[in-house]
Amino acid sequence: SEALFNSDATFSSDSSLFNESENELAEEEKFDPFAGTESLAKPKRQPISLPLPPLPILLGGVLGVTVICGGGAFFLNRACVIGECKELQTADQLKSNSQQSIRTAKSTQELIALQQQLDKVISDLKVIPQWSPRYQQAQELAASFSNQLTKINLVIKALQAAAAAEQKIQTPATSLDELRSRQTLWRQAIIPLEAIKPSHELHSLVQAKLPKYQSNLKAINQKLQNEESWQKKLTTAKTVANSANQRQATAKSGNDWQRVQFAWQQVINDLKSIPATSTANEEAKKLLAEYQPKLILARNRATREIAAASTFQQATNFANQAKVFEAKNQWTQAIASWQEAIQTAKQVSQDSSIYNQAQSLIQTYSTSLGQTLEKQQLYGNLAQSQADLSKTCDSGIRFCTFIIEEQPKGRIIVRLTPEYDRRLQTPTPDIQNHFQTLQQALGVISENANLPLFLYNTQGQERYMKNPQ
């Protein structure tokens, strides 16, 4: 305005000078006595004029000075150099209110609102330049608010992690990875909260949440431990199942199939022990449907093989007994035992691994039975022959001894006793008749046994011989 006033004064001064010049020129024109001569002698006097700047430039200059002066004042005020500092006032007000707000906060939303306020105040304080006399105070407030904000951010993240974990536990976990993810969320919620000291304004909020979070983490840890145990059982069952499949591919005997059966039984028991609430239960049910038929197959095969082996052993036992009877010349009993051995071998299951062995036994035993029948026909009923010989040779007084030889062709050898042989040395009608009767009896025994019979005296001389035709 002062500049404008000076400009106007200059303008007015120039105007009066201009008017005075005009008046003087008018007077000279009226009263100059030498007007005719002087005008020829020297030039005519010109009026003095000063150029003025255009009006828009004058107005722009005035406005520029006004803006510069006003802007400088605004800048100094904004930088908290002069006048009041709005940023510091807001920060001081928030400082007095924030602790109470933090102490009474009960939800994530309240903390987020306070977080946003602190972010705004810190951002405003950082605008104050270093050359401002309020800079140090602003930095201290910003640092204090940053410390508060760091704790608040940690607690907000912890509460958000807990909220995410609580959302997830509304539905059952379907895998170990999902359980571990929930475990991680609870840890992310608990660890920052445990770092809040009792003296901090957030401690009240933390103590209201932390016990529940710790309890949830403990529960998820226990569930995870159980699930890992069930998963281990599932893995073990698969391993044993692979082993059972390999054994089953090469199993032959009843003992082999029993081992396969026991392996499948262990697999089934492990799978059935996995509870329905476990994440491994779904896979366990699928494996049960696959493995149970294999257990039934192994059990049936083991039963069949064991029964076949037992039958095979019985047939072998009958054959061994038949051989014992043959050694005792008990042909009837031997024949019966061979027949039992053959019939028992025929009962070995065709589906068993020893069926072909049983068929070989049947052939062998049938051959042995035929040989025994031939011996019986060849030697007759030796037991009866032995009884008849015993009765003939000893009727109160022993007249002779005997032996039945089966090899090489079979024969009966009878020898007179020394006492009877001496009596025959002095023959009497009675002793002669008795010797004739003895010979006849021995002949009948030879016929019945279908074996040749030879009678010798004590000197080895043949006294009688019978060869059945």
Side-chain angles (χ1 to χ4, degrees):
S1 60
E2 185 178 353
L4 185 59
F5 176 79
N6 292 334
S7 177
D8 290 341
T10 305
F11 181 78
S12 300
S13 174
D14 293 341
S15 298
S16 63
L17 179 60
F18 180 76
N19 292 333
E20 288 177 358
S21 299
E22 287 182 346
N23 292 334
E24 289 177 357
L25 289 174
E27 289 179 356
E28 289 178 356
E29 289 178 357
K30 291 179 181 180
F31 302 106
D32 187 1
F34 303 102
T37 59
E38 291 180 358
S39 60
L40 297 173
K42 57 180 181 182
K44 189 176 180 180
R45 186 177 166 187
Q46 297 296 324
I48 300 172
S49 64
L50 297 175
L52 295 176
L55 183 60
I57 295 176
L58 290 174
L59 293 177
V62 173
L63 182 60
V65 172
T66 304
V67 169
I68 290 172
C69 294
F74 174 79
F75 177 74
L76 293 175
N77 185 59
R78 181 70 177 84
C80 294
V81 175
I82 61 175
E84 296 181 350
C85 184
K86 182 179 179 181
E87 289 78 10
L88 287 177
Q89 289 178 347
T90 304
D92 286 334
Q93 183 179 0
L94 181 61
K95 181 178 180 181
S96 61
N97 295 335
S98 62
Q99 292 183 347
Q100 181 63 25
S101 299
I102 294 173
R103 190 176 293 108
T104 58
K106 296 182 179 179
S107 66
T108 307
Q109 288 73 18
E110 293 179 25
L111 290 179
I112 290 176
L114 187 57
Q115 177 194 52
Q116 293 172 348
Q117 292 179 18
L118 290 172
D119 279 334
K120 178 67 169 58
V121 168
I122 292 171
S123 177
D124 290 343
L125 290 173
K126 289 182 178 179
V127 173
I128 298 175
Q130 293 186 4
W131 47 265
S132 171
R134 310 282 182 86
Y135 175 75
Q136 185 63 33
Q137 182 183 0
Q139 289 298 304
E140 292 174 356
L141 284 173
S144 175
F145 288 145
S146 295
N147 289 336
Q148 280 187 332
L149 187 60
T150 299
K151 294 290 185 182
I152 290 173
N153 288 340
L154 288 175
V155 173
I156 288 175
K157 289 181 179 180
L159 295 179
Q160 289 173 339
E166 287 177 338
Q167 181 66 29
K168 285 181 176 293
I169 63 176
Q170 300 302 316
T171 56
T174 58
S175 68
L176 274 177
D177 289 341
E178 191 172 344
L179 282 174
R180 293 190 182 104
S181 173
R182 297 178 184 186
Q183 181 189 52
T184 300
L185 285 174
W186 284 122
R187 286 175 176 170
Q188 290 173 350
I190 291 171
I191 292 175
L193 299 185
E194 288 178 336
I196 303 298
K197 297 180 180 180
S199 59
H200 197 276
E201 293 83 357
L202 286 167
H203 188 259
S204 177
L205 172 63
V206 168
Q207 286 303 108
K209 305 286 187 181
L210 191 56
K212 180 182 177 182
Y213 296 169
Q214 290 171 332
S215 176
N216 288 340
L217 176 60
K218 183 179 180 180
I220 206 75
N221 286 342
Q222 184 61 51
K223 184 171 180 61
L224 192 56
Q225 182 179 351
N226 292 339
E227 286 299 328
E228 287 173 346
S229 174
W230 302 134
Q231 287 289 345
K232 185 176 180 180
K233 271 190 175 292
L234 186 65
T235 301
T236 301
K238 291 179 180 178
T239 302
V240 176
N242 289 336
S243 176
N245 275 325
Q246 293 174 1
R247 288 182 178 180
Q248 184 168 317
T250 59
K252 293 181 179 180
S253 67
N255 289 335
D256 292 342
W257 280 104
Q258 271 193 327
R259 283 190 287 270
V260 174
Q261 176 191 347
F262 294 153
W264 283 123
Q265 189 65 62
Q266 178 185 344
V267 171
I268 298 302
N269 291 342
D270 284 345
L271 293 176
K272 284 185 175 180
S273 70
I274 297 175
T277 55
S278 170
T279 58
N281 179 258
E282 192 66 27
E283 186 175 1
K285 289 194 296 185
K286 293 179 181 178
L287 292 178
L288 276 173
E290 178 184 351
Y291 294 158
Q292 280 180 324
K294 295 186 176 183
L295 171 62
I296 295 172
L297 172 65
R299 182 188 297 123
N300 293 341
R301 189 64 184 271
T303 300
R304 185 163 60 247
E305 289 293 341
I306 290 172
S310 177
T311 303
F312 188 91
Q313 186 60 47
Q314 288 177 359
T316 303
N317 292 340
F318 281 126
N320 291 335
Q321 188 63 49
K323 293 175 183 178
V324 172
F325 286 136
E326 284 185 352
K328 295 179 180 180
N329 298 322
Q330 297 176 347
W331 308 111
T332 302
Q333 292 89 333
I335 290 170
S337 294
W338 283 123
Q339 290 173 340
E340 287 288 350
I342 293 169
Q343 292 303 317
T344 304
K346 288 180 178 180
Q347 295 174 10
V348 173
S349 173
Q350 187 174 357
D351 296 332
S352 68
S353 62
I354 58 175
Y355 174 75
N356 291 335
Q357 291 177 275
Q359 295 303 303
S360 298
L361 284 186
I362 292 172
Q363 294 178 1
T364 301
Y365 294 167
S366 297
T367 301
S368 297
L369 174 61
Q371 293 173 350
T372 303
L373 288 171
E374 290 178 359
K375 289 178 181 179
Q376 183 189 41
Q377 184 178 6
L378 177 63
Y379 302 129
N381 192 342
L382 296 183
Q384 183 62 44
S385 298
Q386 288 178 343
D388 293 340
L389 286 169
S390 296
K391 186 184 295 185
T392 302
C393 287
D394 188 357
S395 56
I397 298 175
R398 178 169 293 277
F399 304 110
C400 57
T401 60
F402 65 90
I403 183 173
I404 302 176
E405 294 182 350
E406 299 182 19
Q407 298 298 335
K409 294 183 178 180
R411 62 180 179 171
I412 301 173
I413 298 175
V414 181
R415 298 184 186 278
L416 297 175
T417 62
E419 182 182 357
Y420 188 70
D421 193 22
R422 282 195 301 271
R423 293 178 65 181
L424 288 176
Q425 298 300 322
T426 56
T428 61
D430 292 337
I431 196 66
Q432 290 293 332
N433 290 333
H434 184 271
F435 186 62
Q436 290 291 331
T437 302
L438 177 61
Q439 291 176 0
Q440 292 174 359
L442 293 174
V444 172
I445 292 173
S446 174
E447 290 286 347
N448 291 336
N450 195 28
L451 291 174
L453 186 146
F454 300 89
L455 177 61
Y456 298 97
N457 61 15
T458 55
Q459 284 76 36
Q461 298 171 339
E462 183 181 300
R463 296 297 305 274
Y464 176 78
M465 189 277 289
K466 177 67 175 179
N467 190 11
Q469 299 298 324

